[in-house]
Structures are given as C-alpha cells and as structure tokens.
C-alpha cells in the first residue's frame, strides 16, 4: 500500500517533469508545447491529465513522495534513475521564470520592479510548501530586484512563513489586488493559475506596466493575442 501510494504520485510528477522537458525542447526547435500537448493527449493511452508544462510542481505530496520512493529504492539497492531525473527536472524548471527574466532584463536587476501573480503551489489553496513562487522570488531578490506580489488567499501565510528579511527590507511587498501589483513594473511573472488571472483587463495592465513584459509560467495566454495587444510575451515552450 505504501509503495502504491508513492508510485501513484511519482507517476503524476513524472508526467509533469516530462512535459516541462518537452517544453524546453520546444523552445529550442521553435515548436509550441500546447500543440504537442493536444496531439499526444488525444491518444487514449495517454490522455490529458497532468500534461501541462509550467514552472514546476510543489506542494506537500509530489516532492515528498518522489523523494520517499527514491529513498526506498536506494535502501533496497535499486538505483531510481527515472525518479532522480524527475526531481532534477523539476528543480531546474522552478528556475525557468527567473532565467527568462534575466534573459530579457539582464543579470543585474537592481532598480527593477517585478510583479508576481500567484504564491501558492496551485490554485484554490494557501499552501506554500515547495511552491515555485518561493524559488522565483528568491532568485529575483538575490539579483537585486524588488518584487510586488499578489495572491487571492496565500499572502497571509507568506507573511508568516517566508523569510522575514524579505519583507522587513522592503524588497518584497504585497499588493491589495492584482492590478496594483503592476504599477510601474518591468515585468509580470504569472506563477499560479488562479481563475481571476485567466482573463484579466489587458488594457488596464498596459496602462500600469512600465515595460509590458509578461512571463507566463502557466501558459494561460495565447502568444499571438498577447503580441497583438502590444505585450512582450514569454510562455513555457511556446516556440519563441
């Protein structure tokens, strides 16, 4: 029963990491991961569940259970090659949004203000355990940026659970609503696919942002539409 439970979550984590690896390949060869997803998901042997590229998985189950199964295998003398690769791929993917930000704005982010939409590891929860947003924000702050974040429910927990120096220094602040987070920013990083973020007021966003750069870590928006609206858009494996 223990092995079955670990294996189930490890399988789902593997699907996510596989799609993120395919997304990195799509970025190199100019393909769109969304077209790949629709194509392979139409195969009934595969299906669409957990087949979305993004900025990595977090939470209380997937990271813990993959590590537990990895440890079980090693103690039994069976080297878990795939499980180890799943974890490495996810750790790498959590740095994707920061890497894209640096590629667009430069390695020295001093004087830059970055908005982050979404702090929890998934929507409809305030759970911050191993959330990609923490890794992204840590990278941005270390590079000298100031971060203004918004999450519909997770901000109180972030204030209590994340490093105090982030807030006391003023490097990280929380906005009253998603649009206030955008005032004068150099980029928006969308981390959690909360429903209110799916169809925002793009006109209001354009008026507020200093640089209209959207780094979409959940592929919520259509690249062609974003360009037509006047945004500089970066999705996960969208063929840019």
């Amino acid at each position: 029963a223990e092995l079955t439970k670990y294996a189930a979550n490890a399988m789902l984590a593997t699907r996510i990491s596989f799609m993120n690896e395919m997304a990195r390949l799509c970025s190199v060869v100019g393909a769109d991961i969304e077209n790949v997803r629709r194509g392979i998901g139409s195969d009934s042997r595969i299906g669409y569940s957990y087949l979305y590229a993004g900025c990595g998985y977090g939470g209380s189950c997937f990271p813990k259970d993959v590590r537990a199964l990895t440890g079980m295998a090693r103690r039994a003398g069976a080297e878990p090659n795939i499980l180890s690769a799943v974890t490495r791929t996810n750790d790498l993917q959590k740095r994707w949004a920061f890497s894209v930000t640096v590629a667009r704005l430069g390695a020295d982010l001093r004087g830059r203000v970055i908005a982050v939409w979404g702090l929890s590891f998934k929507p409809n929860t305030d759970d911050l355990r191993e959330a990609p947003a923490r890794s992204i924000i840590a990278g941005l702050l270390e590079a000298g940026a100031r971060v203004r974040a918004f999450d519909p429910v997770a901000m109180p927990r972030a204030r209590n659970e994340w490093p105090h120096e982030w807030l006391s220094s003023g490097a990280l602040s929380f906005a009253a609503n998603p649009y206030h987070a955008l005032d004068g920013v150099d980029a928006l990083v969308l981390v959690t696919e909360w429903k209110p973020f799916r169809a925002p007021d793009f006109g209001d966003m354009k008026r507020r942002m200093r640089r209209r750069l959207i780094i979409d870590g959940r592929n919520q928006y259509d690249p062609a539409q974003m360009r037509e609206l006047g945004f500089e858009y970066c999705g996960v494996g969208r063929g840019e």
Side-chain angles (χ1 to χ4, degrees), residues 40-61:
I40 66 175
S42 65
D43 187 327
S44 61
R45 298 170 300 174
I46 298 173
Y48 290 104
S49 296
Y50 293 87
L51 214 61
Y52 292 87
C55 47
Y57 61 76
S60 61
C61 293

Side-chain angles (χ1 to χ4, degrees), residues 158-205:
R159 288 189 181 96
N160 292 327
E161 296 180 9
W162 284 0
H164 174 70
E165 59 268 22
W166 288 6
L167 294 168
S168 61
S169 66
L172 171 63
S173 61
F174 298 111
N177 64 57
Y179 298 103
H180 287 175
L182 301 178
D183 289 337
V185 300
D186 297 283
L188 163 64
V189 181
L190 193 158
V191 183
T192 312
E193 62 273 37
W194 284 95
K195 189 174 181 179
F197 301 157
R198 295 178 188 172
D201 184 338
F202 291 113
D204 194 8
M205 293 171 65

